[in-house]
Amino acid sequence: MESPKTNEFFISRPENFGSFDLCKFFFSRKCLSTYQFVETSTQPGAPQFSLIVILTLFLEKILLFIYKPLKLLGNVIEFVLNFYALNGGVFGLLWRVLTVSVVIPDKNSASYRSVLAFIDSRVDLFNTASSSNKVYKINNTFNAVEPFDLTAMASKIAYENPAFVQNAVEKHWKMHLVKFFSCWNEFYKANTTQAFICSDKAKDAQLIVLAFRGTEPFNSQDWATDVNLSWISTGKMGKVHMGFMKALGLTDERDFAKGFPAESPLKDDPSKALAYYSIRDTREGSDNRAQPWRSSCNAVPGAATVPQPNNHTE
């Protein structure tokens, strides 16, 4: 039986899609592979799929068009909410104006919150002593926690800045923040992938949580990535959404094996750290001599353990 290939892909390119292409598609009904806005190694599929691709490309164009104004709107709303909260509301702000002690929000401080943190302000984990749900405890070295609560909270605070994350993990959860990542996306030419790793203790960790930031509400580029139907074959693991793989550090969108070589193709440029390699090579605590985390670590359901690096991409 022939093994699955890693050089199969389907790529839809909104940057090559225009109104003329839209009209041409509906009037000519040619195969998708004949258009410049689609690149594929296989047959595109049924006509219904072609229509879905066209509709998603049209939606992507709109989302990318409003990216900058929507991002600006989000920044303004976020700043106003923080300004209002840090100054104690309306009456607090009036008093601070009179006493010349107005607080200007600092986006890099632990007190600065995202819009999502204003919607759900909880930072502390649930009190397991009053909970009837199953808790997770490791060798009596770590306070009992609800695994789903821990992973949900980790996913939530991944949208915050590094100082906020550190404060939440170390002061509220009484855990150890290993590292906060802001990683490079070779296709967007920017650090668009954020994640953090925390553990129950700095040395000989028994509990390791890896959380990625997802789609930000005022980032229509994220939404466009979600809508995009591009995929790449990973071989035995099947087909994976291209946006997810690019966020992890894919560098070749036509061949998965070439896109994830044993070592980062951008390793000589520290400003372009790719998520997969940065997380893979992270050592326990701050001791660079420690061995990479192994997949034998006890895993909380829903959390990710960082496996030992392999010399291949399978």
Side-chain angles (χ1 to χ4, degrees):
M1 182 178 178
E2 185 179 359
S3 59
K5 298 179 180 179
T6 61
N7 60 351
E8 293 182 347
F9 58 87
F10 176 84
I11 306 171
S12 61
R13 301 189 184 280
E15 65 273 14
N16 295 338
F17 180 75
S19 55
F20 177 75
D21 295 305
L22 183 63
C23 296
K24 186 178 178 181
F25 171 79
F26 281 110
F27 284 104
S28 67
R29 306 295 290 180
K30 289 184 179 180
C31 180
L32 272 181
S33 57
T34 62
Y35 295 92
Q36 291 187 343
F37 56 79
V38 166
E39 188 175 347
T40 179
S41 62
T42 60
Q43 290 299 320
Q48 295 89 335
F49 177 72
S50 299
L51 180 60
I52 293 173
V53 171
I54 294 297
L55 293 176
T56 56
L57 281 168
F58 181 70
L59 181 56
E60 283 181 72
K61 294 291 285 189
I62 296 174
L63 290 169
L64 293 173
F65 179 76
I66 65 173
Y67 169 69
K68 289 185 178 180
L70 186 62
K71 189 77 171 177
L72 177 61
L73 175 63
N75 289 336
V76 170
I77 292 175
E78 196 172 83
F79 180 86
V80 170
L81 288 173
N82 278 278
F83 184 78
Y84 180 83
L86 291 173
N87 286 285
V90 175
F91 296 107
L93 180 58
L94 289 174
W95 174 253
R96 287 184 177 275
V97 170
L98 293 173
T99 57
V100 196
S101 58
V102 175
V103 178
I104 304 300
D106 178 4
K107 292 190 69 172
N108 298 316
S109 71
S111 60
Y112 194 91
R113 292 180 283 170
S114 71
V115 172
L116 294 177
F118 279 99
I119 296 173
D120 179 6
S121 60
R122 183 166 71 95
V123 178
D124 294 313
L125 300 174
F126 280 132
N127 181 4
T128 56
S130 60
S131 173
S132 60
N133 294 333
K134 184 178 180 180
V135 298
Y136 186 81
K137 199 168 184 178
I138 307 171
N139 299 329
N140 296 317
T141 61
F142 183 69
N143 293 329
V145 297
E146 292 184 7
F148 293 115
D149 180 48
L150 175 60
T151 52
M153 288 298 294
S155 298
K156 186 174 83 75
I157 70 164
Y159 288 86
E160 309 305 319
N161 65 58
F164 185 103
V165 172
Q166 182 175 13
N167 181 68
V169 170
E170 297 181 353
K171 300 292 179 62
H172 292 265
W173 301 357
K174 307 302 180 184
M175 295 177 67
H176 171 67
L177 178 65
V178 178
K179 191 173 182 180
F180 185 95
F181 303 89
S182 184
C183 297
W184 184 257
N185 186 317
E186 181 64 9
F187 298 90
Y188 282 130
K189 302 298 181 183
N191 290 320
T192 61
T193 302
Q194 285 74 36
F196 74 91
I197 298 174
C198 64
S199 59
D200 59 325
K201 50 187 177 179
K203 300 290 183 179
D204 301 320
Q206 297 294 306
L207 173 67
I208 301 170
V209 179
L210 166 61
F212 282 90
R213 183 181 299 177
T215 301
E216 297 182 63
F218 290 98
N219 190 330
S220 58
Q221 182 175 272
D222 285 353
W223 290 100
T225 300
D226 295 341
V227 170
N228 190 280
L229 297 178
S230 302
W231 56 262
I232 188 170
S233 173
T234 61
K236 295 179 181 179
M237 293 184 290
K239 300 173 182 176
V240 182
H241 188 253
M242 188 76 77
F244 178 75
M245 300 311 294
K246 288 179 179 179
L248 275 181
L250 183 74
T251 55
D252 189 326
E253 57 187 347
R254 298 177 184 84
D255 193 314
F256 176 77
K258 293 180 180 178
F260 278 116
E263 298 297 330
S264 171
L266 304 177
K267 63 181 180 180
D268 294 331
D269 189 346
S271 66
K272 296 180 179 179
L274 300 175
Y276 168 74
Y277 301 97
S278 297
I279 294 171
R280 182 196 69 178
D281 297 338
T282 298
R283 302 303 197 248
E284 291 186 21
S286 59
D287 186 356
N288 292 328
R289 295 171 298 174
Q291 292 297 315
W293 289 331
R294 299 177 182 271
S295 56
S296 59
C297 290
N298 295 324
V300 174
T305 55
V306 181
Q308 183 180 8
N310 296 319
N311 293 324
H312 51 79
T313 57
E314 293 184 353

